[in-house]
Amino acid sequence: LDTRLIVRSSALDEDGDGNSNAGRFNTIADVTGKADVANAIDQVAASYGSAGSSSNQILVQPFLGEVASSGVVFTRNPNSGGYYFTFEVDDTSGRTDTVTSGSSLPFRTVVCALSAVERLEPPLDGVATAALEIEKLLDKDSLDIEFAIDFDGNIVIFQARPLHLQANPT
């Protein structure tokens, strides 16, 4: 097993309409070899603790190494609930976890009215298009979507979770 993998949690109480437990459970990145994959699965399962349920899942996915950029897009403003996309993007580190981990590395913020997403420059225009499609698929207009963009301009969506708004939209 030479493929680089990431082992991630997918617990029932991790993300829902009423709560977000983003980062609560373990994620083990850049895993190779059967023994290391088994160990990573055990670590993620152990992180469920008493919240463990036979319905919880563990995701084993290809690991995306160095990237051109990564970040999150909120399909509504998380503070005001306003109908515009807010991107938080790391264009410098080559890593996929800097924005979501709370890293102090610099990242840029791009805000775009929903009515103007078609005017975003590449590659964020593609991320916005993907986000709009995900909104339709999930029938939700308030999402927190983690993404990366590889050096060929391909967009990779890692996950989408309900966005818990701090305020009611006006």
Side-chain angles (χ1 to χ4, degrees):
L1 184 65
D2 296 334
T3 304
R4 297 169 68 191
L5 302 171
I6 187 165
V7 180
R8 305 173 62 135
S9 61
S10 182
L12 290 177
D13 67 340
E14 192 162 3
D15 298 307
D17 289 333
N19 66 318
S20 176
N21 286 315
R24 177 176 173 195
F25 304 111
N26 286 349
T27 295
I28 313 296
D30 205 4
V31 179
T32 56
K34 289 181 183 180
D36 288 341
V37 170
N39 183 44
I41 290 170
D42 289 343
Q43 288 180 55
V44 173
S47 73
Y48 293 153
S50 62
S53 163
S54 61
S55 296
N56 287 339
Q57 297 179 346
I58 295 174
L59 305 176
V60 179
Q61 302 169 314
F63 177 74
L64 187 60
E66 193 168 319
V67 296
S69 60
S70 67
V72 297
V73 58
F74 303 109
T75 62
R76 299 256 302 265
N77 180 282
N79 298 314
S80 70
Y83 290 99
Y84 45 94
F85 282 12
T86 302
F87 297 85
E88 293 178 357
V89 184
D90 170 6
D91 292 317
T92 59
S93 77
R95 294 177 38 198
T96 60
D97 65 345
T98 52
V99 173
T100 58
S101 70
S103 169
S104 61
L105 292 173
F107 60 88
R108 66 185 169 111
T109 300
V110 176
V111 178
C112 178
L114 186 58
S115 61
V117 294
E118 70 278 354
R119 289 184 279 191
L120 282 166
E121 293 185 16
L124 292 185
D125 62 336
V127 175
T129 299
L132 290 167
E133 183 176 337
I134 294 167
E135 281 186 329
K136 286 180 185 173
L137 289 169
L138 298 178
D139 195 27
K140 295 192 180 302
D141 69 353
S142 303
L143 296 174
D144 169 349
I145 300 170
E146 295 180 28
F147 67 90
I149 302 162
D150 70 14
F151 289 102
D152 293 325
N154 297 308
I155 297 164
V156 177
I157 302 295
F158 294 122
Q159 64 182 349
R161 63 173 49 98
L163 175 63
H164 301 282
L165 302 173
Q166 301 299 314
N168 292 324
T170 54

